[in-house]
């Protein structure tokens, strides 16, 4: 009799696991059932802001593979609009409810992949069920926001609550749609993913395109009129709003896992080993935005919900379920984002991460240009490096620049990955040609500056 | 009494050495004299094509520091239009001729930096002193070509001889100026700096903008009319030309060094150690396009004339002369170039280099996109990886793509530098966001493909 694999969650991690398992084991050997609460499988949540802005015209473009493709080509029994409500590890069964019909089914499994993703962090204020207030996590959320933006009376004033990636990207999207936008952030800077000095550059760019930024300010409630949002309430008074987007980040979706006895780690996400196995629970796997993983620089567990990791982790789980061998070794916190024409990249530890992990370090910021200074279109590019004292190992890096800047973080990410010292980095053979770099690449300039800082700090 | 440093060659390497030495030793301790044959110091030869095309309007923009800056701020006695004609190592003197006045001077030295750069490879045909035929190495060459292009009768038909970086860049520049351009290359592909399969993509792009490419064809002579070029002669008949640019590459400028007894290596360039000292000749240093250096992947000496290396090497020599410690450890052959909108990057070994060095390897080519497929402006990006068998160490990589592609070679360069295996590379934490990469970065896709190829090749 065929074994059965049940997958909980039909997005990147779950479907990557299912497809990889299928590649290695055919249907006679392994039946695969995937439950997905929403309407879609394998879509790019990261692309939602660009659909909101109109840059991406149709939501279908964000879907990598639809349920029918999985059912046909991959012979995976995908059940959308099905919510798994319980996992019984003793009986090796899951209970799922059909959200359309209401019917409940029980399905046995030999292997289980828990890939339930993440859920939005709820704001401190009690109610969010006001017309014109949106979370932004799923395609359905995106569709609801688009409908609201296009309905009469046309919203003109938007408030984005939270200045992380999704908040910043949505603020840009709403500006592009012609709304006036205020971004409210409780911390003293937007883009907490980079250090304050670099975040200032981002904030300047956002202000430059007309986004009104209010930092150090919490939203404490909502005001409504006739069932529609009219303002957000803050300690500094109300901010009028016809539409509010909540971008307070996400937390791992672990309710079901916790109830079933899957172990959670210090980050609150599910613990897994390098092969994406849940420890001490044979045949149980987890992957994606619901798990924690190892930060290879700090050596500490972290929760980094990001599509690229979810895909890799799902693939690793699927290969192992399929009888192969693959591992997910960890992350170093690389991320890139676009704020209008400004490009931001980061990798490794920020200063505060380095402090928290107990490192002694120097940090330097070097300003240079993305192209030879004389080449048309040369723009400022700022590189920050954080290097461990006294040996100079690169702990982290951040880049802010105006074009062709963000993906340059990859070279620094590979340097962090390999534990390079800034001293060795000054010798790196990086690409040089006037359209792409000054003769001293910005990365090399920053590395030289870091070496000088290490020498000064040793005195 | 102050010691004396004589620098032969006032471009990147020579002036970097002089300035670094000056930073560490003041004039009372070290007098510095720099001889430069041309009119300029420290200029970007790599920028000349962009001046020819008009993208860079003034040649002054290409000059990083002029002689007066060196004389004033750096207290370096820069003597332009002075050609060093002899080095006497026994008497520790150089002989230099003032090219304007004809006067000869002898100057003693304690330390000598030989940074005479490279000279263009001469074509096989005897005469090149025909009106409208230009080499392209110095700013003076660029000025002469620009004058010719602007003089009456206006040249309409250009032939570029040689399809290396300078040939390709000049072909583009001349197209941008509105000339009809034929590029003649003796080898069976232009851009010999990448493998044939990748060069085809470049050739297609060049053809696409109207450059007529003739490969496998040597120029055997020149035809002239009234002292002006009228055609180049080839085995397949004459190709009419009103202007000819020779881009046959450069060779190290070593005549003077050889005469003085400086040792040359197997590449024909000057041998130096890691500190840029000429072996067995205390107080004699060399740097820049006239020296050979270690290729860190093949372990063999190479001659790679490139401004970025010249700057680094000069800096290393200068720091050491100044009493500090610095080394130039070697190169891995990273280079980027722009052919109209096409971007090309390479690092490490090409297939033929890997064969020559005795490696067994697999090579894979993966086609992907520079952005998420649904994000506006997503374009094809092709990544080639060459990995050693059986362990999978990355030996080399090439990228051809349409935008934001070239500098992605840096991540691969850092991977080559660190001796990463393609297997480990599949785990790399690279920047992901829809405007900058698909969820599986092209580099990761290529690494996965290389792992598969290694497995297949092991069977």
């Amino acid at each position: 009799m065929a074994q059965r694999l049940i997958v909980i969650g039909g997005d990147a991690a779950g479907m990557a696991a299912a497809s990889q398992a299928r590649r290695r084991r055919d249907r006679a050997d392994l039946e695969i059932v995937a439950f997905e609460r929403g309407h879609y499988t394998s879509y790019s949540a990261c692309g939602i802001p660009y659909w909101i802005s109109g840059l991406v015209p149709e939501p279908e473009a964000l879907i990598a593979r639809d349920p029918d493709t999985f059912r046909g080509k991959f012979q995976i029994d995908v059940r959308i609009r099905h919510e798994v409500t319980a996992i019984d590890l003793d009986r090796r069964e899951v209970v799922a409810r059909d959200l359309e019909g209401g019917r409940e089914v029980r399905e046995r499994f030999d292997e289980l992949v828990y890939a339930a993703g993440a859920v939005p962090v709820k704001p401190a204020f009690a109610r969010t069920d006001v017309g014109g207030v949106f979370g932004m996590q799923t395609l359905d959320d995106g569709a609801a926001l688009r409908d609201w933006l296009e309905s009469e009376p046309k919203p003109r004033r938007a408030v984005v609550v939270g200045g992380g990636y999704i908040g910043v990207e949505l603020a840009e999207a709403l500006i592009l749609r012609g709304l006036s936008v205020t971004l409210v952030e409780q911390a003293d800077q937007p883009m907490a993913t980079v250090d304050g000095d670099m975040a200032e550059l981002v904030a300047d760019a956002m202000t430059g395109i007309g986004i009104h930024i209010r930092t150090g300010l919490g939203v404490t409630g909502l005001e409504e009129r006739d069932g529609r949002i009219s303002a957000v309430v803050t300690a500094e008074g109300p901010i009028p709003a016809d539409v509010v987007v909540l971008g307070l980040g996400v937390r791992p979706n672990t309710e079901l896992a916790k109830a079933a006895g899957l172990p959670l780690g210090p980050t609150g996400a599910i613990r897994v080993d390098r092969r994406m196995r849940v420890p001490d629970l044979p045949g149980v796997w987890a992957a994606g935005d619901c798990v924690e993983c190892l930060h290879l620089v700090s050596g500490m567990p972290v929760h980094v919900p990001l599509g690229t990791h979810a895909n890799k982790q799902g693939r690793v789980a699927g290969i192992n379920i399929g009888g192969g061998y693959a591992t997910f070794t960890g992350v170093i916190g690389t991320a890139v984002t676009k704020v209008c024409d400004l490009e931001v990249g980061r990798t490794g530890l920020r200063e505060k991460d380095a402090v928290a992990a107990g490192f002694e370090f120097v940090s330097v910021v070097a300003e240079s240009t993305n192209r030879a200074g004389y080449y048309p279109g040369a723009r400022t590019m700022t590189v920050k490096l954080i290097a461990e004292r006294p040996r100079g190992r690169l702990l982290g890096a951040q880049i802010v620049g105006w074009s062709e800047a963000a993906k340059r973080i990859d070279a620094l990410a590979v340097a962090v990955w390999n534990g390079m010292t800034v001293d060795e980095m000054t010798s790196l053979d990086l690409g040089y040609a006037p359209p792409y770099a000054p003769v001293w690449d910005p990365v090399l300039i920053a590395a030289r500056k870091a070496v000088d800082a290490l020498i000064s700090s040793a005195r």
Side-chain angles (χ1 to χ4, degrees), chain A residues 114-200:
Chain A
Y114 188 91
V119 287
V121 171
K122 289 253 169 64
F125 43 96
R127 292 189 50 202
T128 57
D129 59 337
V130 176
V133 179
F134 301 91
M136 198 47 55
Q137 211 228 346
T138 63
L139 270 189
D140 294 322
D141 294 336
L145 172 58
R146 275 194 65 120
D147 286 348
W148 184 265
L149 292 174
E150 278 154 22
S151 67
E152 296 296 335
K154 276 268 169 72
R156 293 178 299 106
R157 299 161 306 179
V159 170
V160 174
V161 184
Y165 289 120
I166 199 80
V168 166
E169 285 163 1
L170 275 162
E172 178 190 353
L174 294 166
I175 281 279
L176 289 176
R177 286 188 69 104
L179 283 83
S180 83
V181 178
T182 304
L183 186 138
V184 184
E185 165 60 53
Q186 196 144 19
D188 59 358
Q189 63 170 77
M191 287 289 286
T193 53
V194 295
D195 286 322
D197 46 358
M198 301 298 271
E200 260 177 49

Side-chain angles (χ1 to χ4, degrees), chain A residues 57-77:
Chain A
E58 298 297 337
E60 287 72 25
L62 303 182
I63 298 169
R65 281 187 189 133
D66 63 18
D68 283 338
T69 305
F70 284 114
R71 289 181 193 124
K73 190 173 158 204
F74 289 87
Q75 301 193 294
I76 294 167
D77 179 4

Side-chain angles (χ1 to χ4, degrees), chain A residues 212-281:
Chain A
H212 193 61
I213 303 178
R214 306 278 297 266
T215 53
L217 190 62
V219 172
T220 55
L222 303 174
E223 286 179 6
E224 61 182 298
R225 194 175 300 146
D226 306 329
R228 297 173 66 94
I229 185 76
S230 62
V232 300
V233 182
T234 76
E236 297 175 7
I239 303 173
D242 309 316
V243 59
V244 170
V245 179
L246 303 172
L248 295 165
V250 295
R251 57 175 181 78
N253 183 10
T254 54
E255 261 73 324
L256 193 59
K258 209 155 49 177
L262 273 65
L264 305 187
T267 69
I270 298 168
R271 283 176 50 217
V272 286
D273 69 10
R274 296 161 64 88
R275 295 183 74 171
M276 307 312 292
R277 296 183 295 210
V278 176
D280 306 322
L281 295 176

Side-chain angles (χ1 to χ4, degrees), chain A residues 40-58:
Chain A
Y40 307 98
T41 49
S42 290
Y43 63 90
S44 170
C46 325
I48 294 174
Y50 311 106
W51 175 40
I52 302 298
S53 71
L55 267 179
V56 174
E58 298 297 337

Side-chain angles (χ1 to χ4, degrees), chain A residues 224-456:
Chain A
E224 61 182 298
R225 194 175 300 146
D226 306 329
R228 297 173 66 94
I229 185 76
S230 62
V232 300
V233 182
T234 76
E236 297 175 7
I239 303 173
D242 309 316
V243 59
V244 170
V245 179
L246 303 172
L248 295 165
V250 295
R251 57 175 181 78
N253 183 10
T254 54
E255 261 73 324
L256 193 59
K258 209 155 49 177
L262 273 65
L264 305 187
T267 69
I270 298 168
R271 283 176 50 217
V272 286
D273 69 10
R274 296 161 64 88
R275 295 183 74 171
M276 307 312 292
R277 296 183 295 210
V278 176
D280 306 322
L281 295 176
V284 181
W285 311 75
D289 291 359
C290 57
V291 306
E292 63 181 30
C293 55
L294 181 65
H295 196 296
L296 296 171
V297 182
S298 71
M300 302 202 278
V302 285
H303 176 237
V304 184
L306 200 59
T308 182
H309 302 323
N311 268 289
K312 278 189 199 141
Q313 291 168 346
R315 179 172 179 269
V316 165
I319 290 173
N320 289 318
I321 292 166
Y325 174 72
T327 62
F328 184 83
T329 46
V331 303
I332 56 172
T334 311
V336 290
T337 192
K338 181 176 171 302
V339 188
C340 306
D341 291 335
L342 196 72
E343 306 195 356
V344 184
R346 54 148 290 169
T347 189
L349 306 180
R350 295 164 299 181
E351 288 192 30
K352 67 175 167 191
D353 305 320
V355 169
F359 285 107
E360 290 202 356
F361 60 89
V362 298
S363 70
V364 295
V365 175
E367 206 174 81
S368 177
T369 53
N370 59 340
R371 306 176 180 182
Y374 57 79
Y375 194 89
R379 300 286 304 266
T380 300
M381 185 172 146
T382 307
V383 178
K384 176 170 186 166
L385 299 183
I386 296 168
E388 186 183 11
R389 288 186 53 203
R391 202 175 62 87
R393 177 163 69 115
L394 184 67
L395 298 175
Q398 296 160 38
I399 293 179
V400 173
W402 286 98
S403 60
E404 304 127 34
K407 278 295 269 182
R408 300 198 187 197
I409 201 69
D410 285 354
L412 291 161
V414 182
V416 168
W417 187 278
N418 286 284
M420 288 188 84
T421 64
V422 287
D423 185 51
E424 184 173 11
M425 287 173 62
T426 62
S427 297
L428 275 174
D429 187 358
L430 302 178
Y432 163 62
Y436 304 124
V439 71
W440 284 101
D441 190 275
V443 166
L444 300 179
I445 294 173
R448 281 169 50 179
K449 200 164 173 181
V451 169
D452 290 345
L454 285 167
I455 293 169
S456 302

